[in-house]
Amino acid sequence: MAAGGAALLVAAAAALAWGEWRGWPWLAGWSEGWLSGQLGRELRWRPPEAPSGSAPGWRLSLIGPLRLQAADLAVADPAGPAVAR
């Protein structure tokens, strides 16, 4: 039983280290959708010509200080009627 717990702990540490080394690229698409919903406007980490689900230059670090690097960031105007300025 203890060997199974140790193996699980080693596997979790290895997965965390691998994700940190890769920069968590699979979170780019998810974070685009989540942040777009929270902000009420479209947010993209990728250039318009890049295929959906990819974010070249996007890198997230969760260990130590939280860091996010993005080669491209686009935030659309809010939805709704235009406001006169």
Side-chain angles (χ1 to χ4, degrees), residues 1-84:
M1 189 70 158
L8 183 61
L9 184 60
V10 167
L16 181 65
W18 185 75
E20 194 68 18
W21 172 66
R22 297 282 299 155
W24 306 97
W26 50 89
L27 293 179
W30 174 83
S31 64
E32 274 184 352
W34 185 80
L35 285 169
S36 292
Q38 295 298 311
L39 296 171
R41 56 183 78 188
E42 182 185 6
L43 178 136
R44 281 184 296 135
W45 300 118
R46 56 189 160 72
E49 65 275 1
S52 181
S54 72
W58 191 89
R59 186 167 183 78
L60 177 65
S61 178
L62 300 174
I63 296 178
L66 181 65
R67 291 182 305 274
L68 173 65
Q69 297 173 338
D72 194 68
L73 171 62
V75 181
D77 291 332
V83 177

